[in-house]
Amino acid sequence: MPFDCVSCGACCAYSASWPVFIGAGEAAGIPEELIDFEHGRMLCHGNRCAALTGEIGSRAQCSVYANRPLVCREFQAGSEDCLMVRRSFGLPAA
Ligand code: SF4
Ligand code: SF4
């Protein structure tokens, strides 16, 4: 793991359109109050996913980690998108 996601969390607060449900049954196990049913994705406050707890760049955690959407599972630490997001939050990206 090139970066420690537990001390980051930036990708969970970058865009409200990112934590979207792309497959059937993706919302299973996620509390209803954390779901944006209208848009078929996680509820976000601004760009920050409502399931994210803690502080970006310090200590962050996904409160629905075991049931998180597929796009969240597939997001790769150290990928170009990861580095771009980290930079946008002023976090080291190298
Ligand atoms: S931006 Fe990268 S390092 Fe930060 S939590 Fe997401 S995948 Fe992990
Ligand atoms: S569901 Fe979890 S992993 Fe996905 S964006 Fe929200 S906090 Fe991040």
Side-chain angles (χ1 to χ4, degrees):
M1 177 79 68
F3 294 107
D4 178 13
C5 294
V6 176
S7 62
C8 179
C11 57
C12 305
Y14 182 75
S15 169
S17 65
W18 276 19
V20 68
F21 302 138
I22 57 175
E26 280 230 80
I30 298 175
E32 287 190 1
E33 63 269 24
L34 296 179
I35 296 172
D36 178 345
F37 288 98
E38 186 185 347
H39 296 104
R41 64 193 187 204
M42 296 298 295
L43 179 69
C44 289
H45 303 299
N47 285 325
R48 180 177 172 130
C49 177
L52 183 67
T53 63
E55 242 179 84
I56 307 294
S58 163
R59 181 153 189 87
Q61 201 165 2
C62 172
S63 66
V64 298
Y65 190 78
N67 296 307
R68 69 198 187 284
L70 188 59
V71 290
C72 306
R73 294 170 192 272
E74 292 190 335
F75 197 87
Q76 296 285 316
S79 65
E80 281 306 310
D81 281 344
C82 164
L83 301 183
M84 178 268 293
V85 169
R86 285 181 61 91
R87 279 189 208 102
S88 79
F89 280 89
L91 298 170

